[in-house]
Amino acid sequence: MGIKRFMLALLALTCAHGSMAQRKRFQDSLLFSVQPAPEWSALFTRSSGWFGADGIFSVTRDGVETPGAAEHSETILWFSDTMLGEISGDSLLPGSRMINNSIAVLDTGRNISFHWKESNGKSAAIFVPGTRSTQPGDYYWLGDGFVNPQRQLYIFGFRMRNTPGGGTFGFKEMGNSLIIVPAGSQPPFDIYREIEIPFFRQAGISFGAGIFVNTVEAGARNPDGYVYIYGVRGAGKQLIIARVKPSDIESFSKWTFWNGRRWDRNVARIANVTDHVSNELGMMQLEDGRYALVFQEDGMGKHVALRLAPTPAGPFGKLIRLYDCSEVLAGDKDLFVYNAKVHPVLSAPDELLISFNVNSFDFLNDLREKPRLYRPRFIRVRILRDSSKVGE
């Protein structure tokens, strides 16, 4: 009996180690090829009106979030700081203007139009803060969003304030809001609601770096009915996660937060689940069932990267570098890339269409010399099942 118990224990231990090894391979291995997606980058290479921006998130009007959904529905895209003006040849003409956010509409034929507001004869942002805590001069940078089953568009807003003397990074986040656009609204969205999210005030954290809608209506393959809402905090760019049912998103008492073991109603117990991500990111489920969290390594590193997980909340595997952006930087020490993310509705099954942004520490001077610098770039990552196809 002693030998039998020993053999059973050894078998159990072997199976446990095998299971852990399989889980690690599941989370840490990915076979892929990657190449630029010039047709998408060209869509945002423009010479008149809208000619540059960062940010860029995308959702379909009907709220379906599956790969290729944009082929069947109009798509709304939004941007943060946006440049408007005219470019002649390689020269930026006088009179260009920056606004803090803008919108684009992409139809199923991949025709795109850009939208912003006009105020007192000047170009202006689509969304302007108007919550109780807002002070004059505050503005919105836009996070991720989704369309609920009632076709309302929800966008997370980061309320920003400039800090004089701060140089290139002379700004500070002052609050976190939900922006709600009524169903059927057309840009420039003259009517919208704002709700201040309390967790910034309560715990000093904000949400909206990325969204994953795990519902039947969104077309999720393993729906649990929740919207997963990602945030990023700290110098280590740690990921935090909340979730809520779409119908309850405006009821903040119904949000729960991942504390490392379970979903908790106390935001103070929210856990860091992984690190080295970026302040904007994207989540997409692969055909093999895994979830791919796509981001810029360390926020402003030169690599587009991802981490794999068996659920939208992790646990997340090791960092896998997808693409080195050095060619875009062209050895210019003033240039940097940031905030890579996957766009599921623009992607194909087992292909990740990923955008990243390009900017400069010497923004005004570089923009005059390189007026098409400040715009999204796109790459396409193809997930491979046959190792012989690597490099295709």
Side-chain angles (χ1 to χ4, degrees):
M1 288 294 293
I3 294 177
K4 184 176 181 181
R5 282 197 298 269
F6 173 77
M7 292 302 294
L8 288 173
L10 182 61
L11 178 62
L13 185 63
T14 301
C15 290
H17 277 288
S19 176
M20 285 188 288
Q22 288 174 346
R23 186 171 65 183
K24 184 172 177 58
R25 285 196 299 272
F26 185 78
Q27 293 174 203
D28 290 350
S29 62
L30 186 71
L31 195 62
F32 65 94
S33 65
V34 59
Q35 57 275 323
E39 73 280 16
W40 284 100
S41 296
L43 200 61
F44 300 90
T45 306
R46 304 174 63 83
S47 299
S48 180
W50 189 105
F51 72 88
D54 61 6
I56 188 169
F57 291 92
S58 56
V59 298
T60 56
R61 283 275 199 177
D62 61 10
V64 177
E65 297 267 355
T66 54
E71 296 179 4
H72 309 289
S73 172
E74 190 175 73
T75 300
I76 304 294
L77 305 99
W78 54 90
F79 312 87
S80 292
D81 281 347
T82 298
M83 290 302 303
L84 306 174
E86 303 294 323
I87 300 172
S88 178
D90 291 324
S91 299
L92 178 61
L93 300 182
S96 64
R97 177 177 174 80
M98 175 180 278
I99 60 175
N100 296 122
N101 53 75
S102 61
I103 292 283
V105 178
L106 182 73
D107 70 18
T108 55
R110 207 175 290 180
N111 301 298
I112 194 167
S113 60
F114 294 84
H115 305 268
W116 54 92
K117 288 183 177 173
E118 298 290 331
S119 178
N120 298 321
K122 293 184 177 180
S123 304
I126 296 280
F127 303 112
V128 178
T131 59
R132 182 178 300 178
S133 302
T134 298
Q135 293 187 14
D138 288 1
Y139 54 92
Y140 275 136
W141 284 345
L142 303 179
D144 205 351
F146 72 103
V147 172
N148 72 2
Q150 290 71 45
R151 305 289 178 94
Q152 294 173 298
L153 172 61
Y154 281 81
I155 297 177
F156 284 79
F158 306 112
R159 181 166 56 85
M160 308 301 296
R161 185 176 300 164
N162 288 338
T163 54
T168 302
F169 300 102
F171 48 81
K172 183 178 181 180
E173 185 179 357
M174 304 304 297
N176 192 200
S177 298
L178 269 179
I179 301 167
I180 305 101
V181 179
S185 297
Q186 298 299 321
F189 299 148
D190 292 320
I191 298 174
Y192 59 88
R193 293 187 294 121
E194 300 168 78
I195 304 174
E196 197 158 319
I197 300 172
F199 310 120
F200 186 88
R201 183 179 65 256
Q202 294 172 5
I205 56 178
S206 58
F207 290 96
I211 299 286
F212 185 78
V213 187
N214 201 30
T215 65
V216 171
E217 294 84 357
R221 284 189 285 140
N222 305 107
D224 58 15
Y226 287 95
V227 177
Y228 288 77
I229 307 165
Y230 302 98
V232 178
R233 67 175 173 182
K237 300 295 181 185
Q238 289 108 352
L239 187 75
I240 53 178
I241 310 175
R243 75 176 188 179
V244 67
K245 296 290 182 70
S247 58
D248 295 329
I249 193 166
E250 297 182 31
S251 301
F252 299 111
S253 63
K254 296 183 179 180
W255 287 40
T256 57
F257 311 92
W258 185 247
N259 69 10
R261 300 183 305 277
R262 62 183 182 273
W263 294 102
D264 194 319
R265 291 198 179 275
N266 187 346
V267 67
R269 290 196 284 262
I270 196 168
N272 299 332
V273 298
T274 191
D275 54 15
H276 297 287
V277 300
S278 50
N279 291 79
E280 296 174 9
L281 44 80
M283 174 69 83
M284 176 174 166
Q285 188 176 19
L286 305 181
E287 289 295 289
D288 63 14
R290 294 182 291 179
Y291 295 83
L293 180 75
V294 178
F295 52 90
Q296 197 86 33
E297 183 179 352
D298 291 316
M300 291 170 50
K302 67 178 182 178
H303 290 104
V304 176
L306 62 70
R307 294 184 190 272
L308 297 169
T311 78
F316 292 92
K318 71 177 184 180
L319 185 145
I320 299 173
R321 290 174 171 171
L322 300 174
Y323 186 73
D324 187 333
C325 303
S326 297
E327 184 177 352
V328 175
L329 302 176
D332 189 328
K333 61 181 177 59
D334 286 328
L335 301 188
F336 60 93
V337 291
Y338 58 115
N339 285 345
K341 62 184 73 70
V342 64
H343 298 267
V345 302
L346 306 179
S347 302
D350 264 353
E351 285 190 354
L352 287 72
L353 185 72
I354 298 170
S355 67
F356 61 90
N357 298 314
V358 182
N359 210 325
S360 171
F361 294 112
D362 191 13
F363 180 76
L364 294 178
N365 288 326
D366 275 340
L367 195 66
R368 282 192 289 267
E369 296 177 7
K370 308 168 187 174
R372 294 182 179 86
L373 167 74
Y374 181 59
R375 58 183 173 83
R377 309 302 208 278
F378 288 81
I379 59 173
R380 180 177 287 106
V381 174
R382 181 183 176 196
I383 308 304
L384 302 174
R385 300 179 184 277
D386 181 349
S387 61
S388 66
K389 295 181 181 178
V390 175
E392 285 188 2

